[in-house]
Amino acid sequence: MGQGRGWEGAVLRLMRAKDYGFTVTHAEDVTPDYRRLRFTDGGMLAATGVHPTMWVRLWFDNAGKPHQRAYTLVDPDPAAGTFGLEFALHEGCASDWARAAKPGDTIEATVQGTGFDVPAPAP
């Protein structure tokens, strides 16, 4: 994982970003233009923990070139190693991938620390 991602991938590696493989476990068409996917995390949540607004970069093939998009985790469950992502469907390689995704499909992802600290006292 993480090879052949051009300058974006090289910069992320220098910033100590970590790569993971996610597997689709469930796909739901919420509307004709909105799709929700559930994933297993490939060990990510155990390694990184979870916090509000946590996001990941997914890597898509765009006519043979790497293309990344960021998505915020929805309902992460660190104990189960699962989470959801929600996709607005429009033209583009990320939407095309999400439209066709089905259980068992995999995708590469990169996680870079966000430096989020929970405020004290907690809201």
Side-chain angles (χ1 to χ4, degrees), residues 23-94:
T23 302
V24 176
T25 60
H26 181 78
E28 175 186 1
D29 291 322
V30 178
T31 72
D33 298 315
Y34 189 72
R35 188 162 172 90
R36 184 174 299 137
L37 301 176
R38 295 282 307 164
F39 295 86
T40 56
D41 70 358
M44 178 191 71
L45 295 175
T48 64
V50 66
H51 62 75
T53 73
M54 185 172 174
W55 56 275
V56 297
R57 295 174 195 267
L58 299 185
W59 293 92
F60 304 94
D61 177 68
N62 187 22
K65 296 182 180 178
H67 183 79
Q68 60 85 24
R69 284 287 180 254
Y71 296 89
T72 302
L73 301 187
V74 176
D75 297 327
D77 183 343
T82 62
F83 61 90
L85 298 177
E86 300 184 345
F87 295 80
L89 302 176
H90 47 79
E91 287 189 35
C93 60

